[in-house]
Amino acid sequence: MVAVCRITKCGLYIFALTITQAAFFTFTGMAGTSIVIPKESGNSTFSEIQPPVKPPVTNVITNNSAQILARVNDNIITVGDVKKLASNLPRELKSLPKELLYPQLTKQLIVDHALQIAIQKDGISRRPAVQQQINAAIKDLAQQKLTQAYFLEKLRPLLTPQAIQHYYNEHYINQPEIKEVNLRQIVVQSPEVAELVLQKLKTGQNFQAATRMYSIDLQNRDQNKGDMGWLTISELDQPIIQAISKIKNNEYTARAIRTNYGWVILQKVAERNRPVPSLESVESFIKEQITKEAISRIYEESLENAHIIEY
């Protein structure tokens, strides 16, 4: 993208060009004249900066898509054309008032039409090499659009409210309860230090205070005071599962557990069954999963039904 900015006292115009289209926006400010660069004595390469070309003057812009806003030779530019261009803009630009946005987009469409007229006059489209490039691009685009249409047709019955509800029931409602546990931990570098910490805890030192004093898990220690949050019990290492099964809430393990990252003393805070999320909170995720699974099946079926020879 190439951006050319012209600053005047009457506003800031941003002229952004892409391969296929451009957006021309303005933010109005103080009224006045254009900025002039002073000329030095003698010949100078600098000249006065001219204000941007004003957009075509029209009557009040309506919502009538057939309303004509401009004409370039025999080509007319309508409100419908501007709406189509505006639909491709980022959200923050779409929210601009149409009285501000539409005249600038109209100006851009004028530029586009004028450029196309110049290209047609040049005759470059009739050159064989260019024709080959155009035909290849048309073929690729047609194939992309056809593939998109095929996927949409296959996905449509899978993304109905009834289908989403069925997926939610199968994967959330009708699943076995999942046990979770909330743990705190103190991680130390040796069994000797672990035994020292256990003695401190037995004499009444607060677990979180001991975490701040002894734990080498610095990030968890400083940010969460050793709290590890809710963990799925079945996903924990077997020695940890065995150790926490023997203690009640707010109790800690009688011995430190050796792990790959040190010796760990654990405190059980609470246990629960994992709450079932509402359909609304997981609907987007469900749609994404359905789409991924369906597209994967479509590819697999297309390979199974094709006669393939690899060389």
Side-chain angles (χ1 to χ4, degrees):
M1 177 181 290
V2 179
V4 180
C5 298
R6 293 175 176 173
I7 304 176
T8 70
K9 291 184 180 179
C10 60
L12 171 62
Y13 288 80
I14 302 175
F15 194 32
L17 294 180
T18 64
I19 295 176
T20 57
Q21 65 179 37
F24 190 73
F25 310 104
T26 180
F27 296 88
T28 57
M30 297 180 294
T33 58
S34 61
I35 295 174
V36 177
I37 300 177
K39 297 182 180 179
E40 298 178 359
S41 58
N43 294 332
S44 172
T45 57
F46 294 97
S47 61
E48 181 178 343
I49 297 178
Q50 298 298 323
V53 178
K54 294 182 179 180
V57 179
T58 65
N59 295 325
V60 176
I61 298 175
T62 68
N63 290 322
N64 181 6
S65 296
Q67 180 185 356
I68 297 176
L69 300 178
R71 187 186 300 271
V72 183
N73 286 3
D74 295 330
N75 302 304
I76 62 171
I77 297 171
T78 66
V79 168
D81 298 324
V82 173
K83 285 181 179 179
K84 183 177 180 180
L85 182 57
S87 67
N88 296 320
L89 295 177
R91 183 181 303 174
E92 61 272 17
L93 296 178
K94 289 181 183 179
S95 63
L96 291 174
K98 68 179 181 180
E99 293 79 12
L100 176 66
L101 181 62
Y102 279 25
Q104 310 311 324
L105 295 182
T106 301
K107 177 59 183 175
Q108 183 52 50
L109 288 173
I110 290 173
V111 173
D112 289 345
H113 280 295
L115 179 60
Q116 291 304 314
I117 291 171
I119 291 173
Q120 292 299 324
K121 286 183 178 179
D122 183 76
I124 191 173
S125 62
R126 294 189 292 273
R127 298 176 188 175
V130 175
Q131 278 290 340
Q132 290 179 1
Q133 295 174 2
I134 293 173
N135 292 335
I138 292 174
K139 182 179 179 180
D140 290 343
L141 181 59
Q143 186 60 48
Q144 291 175 16
K145 294 297 183 182
L146 184 60
T147 301
Q148 290 175 4
Y150 179 72
F151 280 135
L152 288 174
E153 184 68 22
K154 294 293 185 180
L155 287 169
R156 187 173 290 112
L158 303 177
L159 294 174
T160 63
Q162 295 80 5
I164 293 172
Q165 182 69 54
H166 177 74
Y167 188 99
Y168 174 73
N169 293 341
E170 288 295 314
H171 292 82
Y172 293 91
I173 300 297
N174 299 331
Q175 290 295 311
E177 291 183 341
I178 299 175
K179 295 289 185 180
E180 294 184 327
V181 63
N182 182 202
L183 298 175
R184 295 192 185 106
Q185 70 174 2
I186 300 173
V187 184
V188 296
Q189 67 271 31
S190 69
E192 292 78 16
V193 177
E195 187 60 33
L196 173 64
V197 174
L198 286 169
Q199 289 299 324
K200 292 289 185 181
L201 293 172
K202 289 176 182 178
T203 58
Q205 184 170 20
N206 179 272
F207 194 93
Q208 290 174 294
T211 301
R212 289 193 297 270
M213 185 173 298
Y214 298 106
S215 183
I216 61 174
D217 182 7
L218 301 183
Q219 183 175 2
N220 181 265
R221 179 193 72 186
D222 296 337
Q223 295 182 0
N224 305 314
K225 299 179 182 179
D227 195 324
M228 301 168 66
W230 289 101
L231 307 171
T232 302
I233 294 178
S234 62
E235 295 176 357
L236 300 174
D237 292 339
Q238 197 60 37
I240 293 178
I241 295 175
Q242 292 176 357
I244 63 176
S245 67
K246 300 175 183 179
I247 58 178
K248 299 177 181 179
N249 291 348
N250 297 318
E251 293 182 347
Y252 54 87
T253 51
R255 292 186 297 273
I257 304 167
R258 187 173 185 176
T259 68
N260 293 331
Y261 49 90
W263 295 80
V264 179
I265 302 168
L266 296 171
Q267 182 186 42
K268 182 189 290 186
V269 180
E271 283 186 287
R272 70 177 185 182
N273 292 324
R274 179 184 293 174
V276 178
S278 66
L279 174 59
E280 291 75 16
S281 66
V282 295
E283 184 172 0
S284 296
F285 175 77
I286 289 175
K287 289 180 178 179
E288 182 180 339
Q289 290 301 113
I290 292 175
T291 299
K292 287 181 179 179
E293 293 170 8
I295 290 177
S296 179
R297 287 196 304 271
I298 291 171
Y299 277 119
E300 290 176 1
E301 291 172 0
S302 65
L303 291 173
E304 290 174 358
N305 295 328
H307 180 62
I308 301 170
I309 301 176
E310 293 190 45
Y311 298 95

